[in-house]
Amino acid sequence: YAETVDEACENTIKNGMPLCANNSTLFFDEEDPHHALHCAECVCPDGQTGVFCDMCGTDDVCPDQYTCTTGLTPMGDEIFNGKSLSCALGGAGDAWTNFLISQQPHTTFSFSFTGENNLDTKPMSLLLDGMAGVPSQYNPAYPERYDYSYAHYFRAEFESCYLATTDVSECEAQGDWGDVPLDSCYKYYCDDVISADCPPSDIPECPKVGTTDTCITPEGEDEKYWAHTCVGAVPDTATSVGLYCSGDPYGSDRTFVCYADMQAYAAVSVTCTVGSCSSSDEMKGVPHVE
């Protein structure tokens, strides 16, 4: 069994995605090396949060005269640096998302919006990354099996994005919200896709069986190469993307439950965290009202 993160997550570390910030480390459970649980998110020190631990969870980790932003609307410096939402699959308790979690554990998404929320002159753009857990790569008996095992499985770029407040019914239409309060609905939406790649262009693909998405079994081995699939639950295409969020914080003032609709499959519920250190708490990029 792997004894260190470097052994278990060799490919992911080499690829640099997710890149753990603020002295955090990739998640690895040495007690369960064989399941696809590892390397897709970072273990954060106190006060930091998010998939990459690059978000503030309290004002205490920000420099003097800076505060940690809250809410779904860009505030202060976020108008220049962008508004990011760090999301983990699940949150509303709906059956479809729970099924996906069972099939692909530790799935996370990073939504990074940049630009001004102005539809006429400067709409926002979005970089969307998807990560998911992988087994420990350490396997002396069959070291090649995990040659194509990377946590970063999906990347897409969008433009013509905007943030709006809309009728609650539009959020309700995305799926079952369970016990999540839904008094208001915020919608991040992008009309135009620039690219959508599964796997991302910098991730090598395993040799496939014919025209299928199944990795081959190398000669002399009993098991196929392990790699994330790009068929079915994992999006390999996306023509637009919508993130429909309850405006009510859930559990903390920087956590929100949303539904992500990537057009490639049914919307999934996600729990998203926000928070960046800003020199101003002035509200910027005020949402449009639909």
Side-chain angles (χ1 to χ4, degrees), residues 160-237:
S160 301
C161 305
Y162 65 92
L163 168 62
T165 55
T166 186
D167 192 84
V168 169
S169 62
E170 193 162 357
C171 275
E172 291 174 336
Q174 303 305 311
D176 180 12
W177 290 81
D179 63 355
V180 176
L182 192 60
D183 296 324
S184 60
C185 179
Y186 283 70
K187 177 175 75 171
Y188 277 99
Y189 193 83
C190 300
D191 285 315
D192 298 325
V193 60
I194 300 173
S195 63
D197 298 307
C198 179
S201 59
D202 60 342
I203 301 293
E205 289 193 70
C206 66
K208 302 293 178 63
V209 177
T211 59
T212 72
D213 194 54
T214 302
C215 298
I216 67 168
T217 301
E219 185 176 352
E221 300 292 348
D222 297 326
E223 296 179 295
K224 65 182 181 179
Y225 289 119
W226 196 100
H228 282 302
T229 180
C230 290
V231 172
V234 177
D236 59 347
T237 60

Side-chain angles (χ1 to χ4, degrees), residues 105-126:
H106 287 242
T107 297
T108 59
F109 299 101
S110 172
F111 292 83
S112 297
F113 293 93
T114 55
E116 298 179 23
N117 190 33
N118 187 314
L119 291 178
D120 297 322
T121 59
K122 293 182 178 180
M124 294 185 292
S125 58
L126 167 64

Side-chain angles (χ1 to χ4, degrees), residues 1-288:
Y1 292 176
E3 296 181 353
T4 66
V5 170
D6 289 347
E7 291 177 330
C9 305
E10 181 180 352
N11 283 351
T12 295
I13 293 171
K14 179 173 62 178
N15 174 247
M17 191 66 170
L19 182 62
C20 296
N22 295 305
N23 296 315
S24 60
T25 57
L26 287 170
F27 173 79
F28 165 58
D29 181 1
E30 63 183 39
E31 300 297 324
D32 191 5
H34 301 304
H35 290 93
L37 307 175
H38 317 288
C39 314
E41 56 191 319
C42 306
V43 180
C44 302
D46 290 344
Q48 305 292 159
T49 188
V51 176
F52 309 132
C53 300
D54 58 345
M55 293 182 166
C56 54
T58 68
D59 292 338
D60 296 339
V61 298
C62 293
D64 290 343
Q65 311 304 317
Y66 281 68
T67 58
C68 187
T69 59
T70 61
L72 294 165
T73 302
M75 299 175 67
D77 298 346
E78 290 177 330
I79 194 63
F80 307 109
N81 301 329
K83 181 73 173 181
S84 294
L85 293 91
S86 183
C87 307
L89 188 62
D94 59 296
W96 169 237
T97 304
N98 286 344
F99 168 74
L100 294 183
I101 292 171
S102 72
Q103 299 300 301
Q104 186 170 286
H106 287 242
T107 297
T108 59
F109 299 101
S110 172
F111 292 83
S112 297
F113 293 93
T114 55
E116 298 179 23
N117 190 33
N118 187 314
L119 291 178
D120 297 322
T121 59
K122 293 182 178 180
M124 294 185 292
S125 58
L126 167 64
L127 178 63
L128 170 59
D129 285 298
M131 280 74 59
V134 296
S136 168
Q137 192 176 338
Y138 183 75
N139 187 357
Y142 177 9
E144 298 85 5
R145 189 180 185 214
Y146 299 109
D147 282 355
Y148 304 95
S149 170
Y150 290 80
H152 190 201
Y153 75 87
F154 176 66
R155 167 164 282 187
E157 296 179 78
F158 299 87
E159 56 186 9
S160 301
C161 305
Y162 65 92
L163 168 62
T165 55
T166 186
D167 192 84
V168 169
S169 62
E170 193 162 357
C171 275
E172 291 174 336
Q174 303 305 311
D176 180 12
W177 290 81
D179 63 355
V180 176
L182 192 60
D183 296 324
S184 60
C185 179
Y186 283 70
K187 177 175 75 171
Y188 277 99
Y189 193 83
C190 300
D191 285 315
D192 298 325
V193 60
I194 300 173
S195 63
D197 298 307
C198 179
S201 59
D202 60 342
I203 301 293
E205 289 193 70
C206 66
K208 302 293 178 63
V209 177
T211 59
T212 72
D213 194 54
T214 302
C215 298
I216 67 168
T217 301
E219 185 176 352
E221 300 292 348
D222 297 326
E223 296 179 295
K224 65 182 181 179
Y225 289 119
W226 196 100
H228 282 302
T229 180
C230 290
V231 172
V234 177
D236 59 347
T237 60
T239 56
S240 63
V241 64
L243 191 62
Y244 300 83
C245 301
S246 168
D248 302 291
Y250 193 69
S252 81
D253 59 359
R254 295 181 177 89
T255 303
F256 299 86
V257 175
C258 309
Y259 267 90
D261 182 5
M262 301 180 199
Q263 302 297 315
Y265 56 91
V268 295
S269 66
V270 291
T271 300
C272 297
T273 301
V274 300
S276 65
C277 295
S278 175
S279 59
S280 167
D281 62 1
E282 179 185 357
M283 192 75 74
K284 300 287 185 71
V286 176
H288 305 284

